Amino acid sequence: MGRLMKVEFYRHSINQKDIDNVVKVLNSLFLTTGEAVDEFEKKFSRYLGCKYTVGVTSCTAALHLSLLAYGVGAGDEVITTPMTFIATANSIIQAGAKPVFVDVEPETGNINANLIADAITPKTKAILPVHLYGQMCDMKKIREIAAKHRLVVIEDAAHAIEAKRDGIRVGELGDTACFSFYATKNITSGEGGAISTNGEEIAQKLKKLRLHGMSEGAYNRYAKRYEHWDMEVLGWKCNMSNVQAALLLNQLENIEKYWQRREEICQRYENAFESNPQITCLKVLPNSKSARHMFTILVPAERRDIILWQIQERGVGVAVHYRPIHLLSYYRQTYGYKKGMFPAAEKIGDCTITLPLYPKLSNEELEYVIQTVKEVTDEV
Ligand SMILES: Cc1ncc(COP(=O)(O)O)c(C=O)c1O
């Protein structure tokens, strides 16, 4: 073993300009939803090429409100993937519906669109695909299935702001797409989220749902003579604040530059592990631009945890994305899910390790991670 180095699992890219933008808001009158949120929403819509963006406090809230906006609730089923963070499936339960899992493609980890039709029942209301690790699902096929069965499509794009596939941009074929600005995401406000949509009515509905169902927010009410507000629908409390929005404005300007560096890092990982019989990388398909949110490798299942711990012991931050949701206690107990039901997702869950990936990762750190992973998989 060579010298030890400390390589963090993630470091954000917040710079002085981001900080200045936040200070500007802190020195202004409105800290809650106002001008900065408005500016962020317009900028984000322009970046994605969608008509409307609604800023919220998390992707979990974005998913939850999207389901509510389309009337998904008690007695309904929503088809999704077990290979995702629990937020995806939890949001379905929060809306009152039942998550129905469909297995994934072994080579990408994304929901296998060819298996979706078999999971549709008269109770199915929506499909909730997750663009895992940054690569888009087969949205053309998913849209086709949804059109045939009159289902809503809500994209979990928490990993995939920059993604494109088959000429389709993330959010382009979904009824809404939901984004996360959580602490480790490609752009971040610590906590935060957004919903994109091309539907004006849905955008208006989402704006109400993010603020208790009130007819107008504080910023709009304050600017004019006092008027009484009404509550038209039952909403939640998850409106994005000006402080969160201010932190995102300049990161959006740098988003492609940050992506370029992550792409470079991923390609170096892929080349380094290409001929290693113990390490498999998940595939980026032709005709697909992955947002490169996470870099995951697969190692032999029986040694995964030991390899993970040994990499950690040598100073490299690692994680597991994800152990499949259907095997977590709550899901087993509540819905009777069992081992063996979604073998492709289970295999990834047993074998996967996520390596450091962020623009600030230096070449020296990158080479150290590669060397460490190779040595550890050979030794243990
Ligand atoms: C795939 C996926 N969906 C949803 C979420 C939830 O995002 P948030 O923490 O913004 O609610 C995450 C967060 O890590 C995620 O990875």
Side-chain angles (χ1 to χ4, degrees):
M1 185 169 68
R3 75 197 166 89
L4 279 179
M5 209 170 152
K6 175 88 184 119
V7 183
E8 301 294 350
F9 178 69
Y10 178 84
R11 275 184 288 152
H12 64 67
S13 301
I14 304 293
N15 62 24
Q16 193 53 49
K17 194 151 182 215
D18 301 317
I19 294 168
D20 291 346
N21 282 343
V22 174
V23 171
K24 213 162 91 187
V25 164
L26 293 178
N27 285 323
S28 76
L29 189 61
F30 261 84
L31 302 186
T32 184
T33 314
E35 258 175 41
V37 173
D38 199 40
E39 189 183 344
F40 164 74
E41 290 175 342
K42 289 197 171 94
K43 219 169 171 173
F44 199 68
S45 297
R46 256 199 316 277
Y47 173 72
L48 284 180
C50 71
K51 286 197 183 139
Y52 309 98
T53 295
V54 178
V56 288
T57 46
S58 69
C59 183
T60 311
L63 294 163
H64 180 203
L65 296 193
S66 294
L67 291 162
L68 295 182
Y70 279 99
V72 176
D76 297 332
E77 292 178 355
V78 177
I79 292 175
T80 192
T81 167
M83 182 40 59
T84 178
F85 184 54
I86 43 170
T88 314
N90 285 358
S91 72
I92 297 169
I93 303 174
Q94 284 161 8
K98 179 186 172 188
V100 171
F101 297 120
V102 162
D103 208 0
V104 300
E105 303 164 340
E107 69 279 11
T108 66
N110 273 331
I111 191 166
N112 189 335
N114 293 323
L115 302 178
I116 291 176
D118 283 347
I120 295 172
T121 74
K123 292 180 178 174
T124 310
K125 273 280 174 63
I127 308 174
L128 208 170
V130 179
H131 306 310
L132 192 71
Y133 309 140
Q135 173 159 239
M136 277 174 71
C137 302
D138 189 346
M139 285 306 297
K140 283 190 173 170
K141 196 170 275 173
I142 290 171
R143 183 79 261 178
E144 234 173 71
I145 297 166
K148 190 168 160 198
H149 298 269
R150 297 169 153 262
L151 304 175
V152 172
V153 179
I154 292 162
E155 296 175 55
D156 182 335
H159 298 182
I161 304 180
E162 306 91 338
K164 237 187 205 167
R165 178 171 170 181
D166 305 323
I168 303 295
R169 196 75 180 76
V170 78
E172 197 173 327
L173 295 184
D175 292 289
T176 69
C178 301
F179 298 86
S180 174
F181 309 120
Y182 172 69
T184 57
K185 294 295 186 268
N186 293 354
I187 59 171
T188 178
S189 49
E191 301 285 353
I195 311 163
S196 72
T197 182
N198 287 316
E200 187 184 355
E201 212 178 297
I202 281 295
Q204 290 310 325
K205 207 166 178 180
L206 288 166
K207 283 197 172 174
K208 286 203 177 89
L209 286 174
R210 76 175 170 182
L211 190 62
H212 298 296
M214 284 168 79
S215 47
E216 246 178 324
Y219 181 72
N220 288 336
R221 285 185 281 123
Y222 190 76
K224 48 194 186 201
R225 195 179 74 157
Y226 191 89
E227 274 176 29
H228 300 292
W229 49 265
D230 189 19
M231 181 187 131
E232 297 159 354
V233 290
L234 176 63
W236 297 71
K237 180 64 169 78
C238 42
N239 49 310
M240 178 182 270
S241 77
N242 273 353
V243 180
Q244 289 169 314
L247 201 43
L248 294 166
L249 288 173
N250 176 60
Q251 287 183 74
L252 255 184
E253 300 282 331
N254 290 319
I255 196 164
E256 288 302 312
K257 188 176 84 187
Y258 294 154
W259 174 83
Q260 282 286 352
R261 174 61 184 153
R262 293 196 311 277
E263 174 66 26
E264 201 176 276
I265 293 167
C266 289
Q267 286 188 15
R268 175 69 191 116
Y269 276 141
E270 281 162 356
N271 289 337
F273 300 137
E274 195 175 36
S275 53
N276 193 313
Q278 313 220 53
I279 303 170
T280 308
C281 299
L282 289 172
K283 247 196 208 145
V284 176
L285 301 170
N287 230 358
S288 166
K289 175 191 175 186
S290 168
R292 296 295 203 178
H293 175 54
M294 282 177 193
F295 193 84
T296 57
I297 55 169
L298 306 178
V299 297
E302 63 287 358
R303 291 189 291 135
R304 193 271 307 275
D305 286 355
I306 300 206
I307 292 172
L308 182 82
W309 291 324
Q310 283 292 320
I311 295 174
Q312 217 177 12
E313 290 247 309
R314 295 186 198 195
V316 176
V318 279
V320 169
H321 298 96
Y322 297 94
R323 285 160 65 232
I325 296 181
H326 68 285
L327 297 182
L328 300 176
S329 300
Y330 177 86
Y331 281 84
R332 283 181 192 252
Q333 283 155 18
T334 311
Y335 301 106
Y337 284 120
K338 289 188 183 70
K339 202 166 172 60
M341 285 178 143
F342 308 105
E346 288 169 25
K347 179 148 193 283
I348 294 174
D350 286 342
C351 299
T352 192
I353 297 176
T354 312
L355 302 180
L357 174 62
Y358 45 89
K360 279 191 173 159
L361 189 74
S362 71
N363 285 339
E364 194 192 357
E365 289 171 323
L366 175 60
E367 294 309 318
Y368 178 77
V369 176
I370 290 168
Q371 195 56 31
T372 304
V373 171
K374 282 181 169 172
E375 277 174 19
V376 166
T377 41
D378 273 349
E379 284 165 20
V380 303

